[in-house]
Amino acid sequence: MAERERGGSTNNCDHSGDTEPPKSPEDESSERPEAQYTQDLKSVLITSVLNLEKLDVDLYRGTHHWVPRSQRLFGGQIVGQALVAAAASVSDNLYAHSLHCYFVRAGDPKVPVLYQVDRTRDGRSFTVRSVRAIQHGQPILICQASFHMLQPSPLQHQFTMPVVPQPEDLLTVEELIHRYLSKPDLAKKSRQGLNKLLANEVPIEIKPVHPPHFYRLPAAELRKLFWVRARGYIGEGNMKLHCCVAAYVSDYAFLGTALLPYPNYRAQFSASLDHAMWFHNTFRSDEWMLYECESPWAGGSRGLVQGRLWRRDGVLAASCSQEGVLRVKLVTEPSKL
Ligand SMILES: CC(C)(COP(=O)(O)OP(=O)(O)OC[C@H]1O[C@@H](n2cnc3c(N)ncnc32)[C@H](O)[C@@H]1OP(=O)(O)O)[C@@H](O)C(=O)NCCC(=O)NCCSC(=O)CC(=O)O
């Protein structure tokens, strides 16, 4: 059992009951020296995607950065922006500990999203906010987010992080694609598909623990493991923001976990129906975290996926759950990712 993280007074998401002096997330990771940060661009996630425009009290406007090929807004972007809006009306001594969302309509990439916050309750130790994300006058997402003050407790446990290769020993998705593209016998259709994937400007970096096979049907695996972090620099201290970035990241490629046992099926239509998260400890979303995703159930054209985001020092940072609609067709060729 890994020791639980200590509380930090400026971090809006730590839930430790300890009263010892805080440790900033930087103290826990030496993987990315500051010298390297100076060469990185500031993460577009904080300069643009999660940088909402305040229109009025509890009313914000968010714009889009990366739009998936489905041409419906990326669910993680809507959840991340909703959490930014919710957290803005919550005092700094309260820490986001959970959120529960329903995606009720497809997001339209042609117009911005409005976020309307309802201050549902300000309690003694817990505070709840409800957020409606609105386009064309109608909700596309409803979200409840809850915030908690630091409270001590002798109850502290967590699962153990899986043992996997370190990110330095693995290739990014882009590097893997370049490797496949360099193969002279690559079919034209596969080359086109891989080039489309390369053109994606997703503001997160991914290193799969089990690199995908672009050539042949993959062996059925029930669990997806990948290292993930925001592209660019975010910096220390603002745990509120790191939780919002993690909300964005947590929806990426998550629902696909439910298709892992079915390499002969490809999704004709897939969309996340709901998304829930629980934040357990401080973390930095611009440092590598291991995303462990599994699917305990699928049926009735829906699939359930569950995920754990681990800090690389083995501390459980967050847990996620999602159900999605999955309408599939039988295929003979493998999916591209
Ligand atoms: C889930 C919903 C589609 C449910 O709405 P409805 O009940 O009205 O939709 P529906 O199921 O009847 O229709 C949806 C589409 O499926 C088609 N359809 C309906 N029944 C079908 C069937 N039995 N077999 C095949 N297709 C079918 C419809 O014609 C329609 O296509 P057509 O539209 O062509 O007419 C909607 O609530 C929604 O869009 N919510 C938002 C979901 C979302 O955007 N999540 C975040 C992005 S996903 C994400 O970020 C994660 C990820 O992608 O991994």
Side-chain angles (χ1 to χ4, degrees):
M1 190 186 300
E3 193 191 331
R4 204 165 182 213
E5 188 42 37
R6 307 287 183 223
S9 61
T10 56
N11 293 334
N12 209 18
C13 191
D14 183 90
H15 312 99
S16 162
D18 279 324
T19 51
E20 289 180 27
K23 237 178 162 185
S24 85
E26 274 70 7
D27 298 336
E28 293 128 20
S29 173
S30 56
E31 82 198 40
R32 218 172 166 192
E34 288 303 316
Q36 190 192 330
Y37 280 129
T38 57
Q39 294 161 22
D40 286 338
L41 284 178
K42 208 158 194 185
S43 170
V44 72
L45 281 166
I46 57 164
T47 58
S48 144
V49 183
L50 300 174
N51 189 13
L52 302 187
E53 179 189 357
K54 183 169 182 176
L55 300 178
D56 205 333
V57 177
D58 295 334
L59 186 65
Y60 299 87
R61 176 161 50 200
T63 52
H64 326 306
H65 175 70
W66 166 72
V67 176
R69 269 186 289 171
S70 63
Q71 286 306 304
R72 57 171 63 220
L73 288 181
F74 172 48
Q77 175 187 289
I78 313 170
V79 176
Q81 292 182 340
L83 188 58
V84 171
S89 64
V90 171
S91 66
D92 282 345
N93 66 330
L94 297 173
Y95 304 89
H97 72 91
S98 71
L99 58 85
H100 297 261
C101 304
Y102 276 103
F103 299 99
V104 294
R105 284 183 183 82
D108 177 357
K110 293 190 284 302
V111 295
V113 183
L114 295 182
Y115 293 90
Q116 197 169 50
V117 181
D118 176 55
R119 302 189 186 205
T120 309
R121 179 165 188 251
D122 287 69
R124 198 164 67 90
S125 28
F126 289 90
T127 284
V128 179
R129 296 288 177 260
S130 305
V131 184
R132 279 154 52 97
I134 299 164
Q135 284 188 315
H136 305 295
Q138 292 185 307
I140 60 168
L141 172 106
I142 47 177
C143 173
Q144 265 92 48
S146 182
F147 301 80
H148 187 205
M149 65 167 58
L150 291 179
Q151 286 182 336
S153 164
L155 307 181
Q156 293 194 22
H157 73 268
Q158 63 161 58
F159 282 175
T160 302
M161 178 172 159
V163 178
V164 298
Q166 293 300 297
E168 289 73 20
D169 301 326
L170 295 166
L171 298 176
T172 63
V173 169
E174 290 77 14
E175 287 164 342
L176 286 163
I177 291 175
H178 280 298
R179 180 175 277 197
Y180 281 100
L181 284 172
S182 69
K183 294 181 193 288
D185 56 337
L186 189 66
K188 192 177 165 194
K189 205 173 155 202
S190 305
R191 190 172 295 280
Q192 284 169 345
L194 291 173
N195 275 316
K196 270 190 201 159
L197 281 178
L198 266 188
N200 272 346
E201 288 183 7
V202 189
I204 55 183
E205 283 183 278
I206 287 175
K207 291 193 172 190
V209 169
H210 304 290
H213 297 277
F214 297 109
Y215 271 145
R216 55 189 166 82
L217 291 171
E221 282 181 30
L222 302 178
R223 207 164 53 140
K224 192 188 264 193
L225 289 157
F226 55 93
W227 292 98
V228 62
R229 69 181 179 190
R231 278 189 203 282
Y233 175 69
I234 295 179
E236 64 179 306
N238 192 344
M239 200 54 219
K240 223 178 206 184
L241 198 53
H242 284 295
C243 288
C244 298
V245 174
Y248 183 102
V249 166
S250 66
D251 188 35
Y252 189 76
F254 192 25
L255 187 55
T257 312
L259 290 173
L260 289 181
Y262 312 98
N264 294 74
Y265 285 89
R266 187 177 299 170
Q268 266 185 309
F269 179 83
S270 76
S272 37
L273 295 166
D274 61 11
H275 191 81
M277 281 189 89
W278 295 263
F279 300 103
H280 311 303
N281 280 292
T282 56
F283 58 89
R284 265 184 73 163
S285 51
D286 56 351
E287 300 282 18
W288 288 118
M289 290 196 286
L290 181 69
Y291 201 11
E292 178 192 11
C293 306
E294 57 198 358
S295 175
W297 173 87
S301 294
R302 301 190 314 280
L304 180 67
V305 289
Q306 294 172 340
R308 286 184 278 278
L309 271 170
W310 297 93
R311 278 188 351 207
R312 67 184 300 176
D313 63 359
V315 169
L316 185 60
S319 304
C320 315
S321 266
Q322 178 175 109
E323 193 179 33
V325 56
L326 289 166
R327 292 173 185 140
V328 296
K329 68 171 178 185
L330 195 60
V331 287
T332 47
E333 283 179 27
S335 104
K336 293 292 177 291
L337 261 187

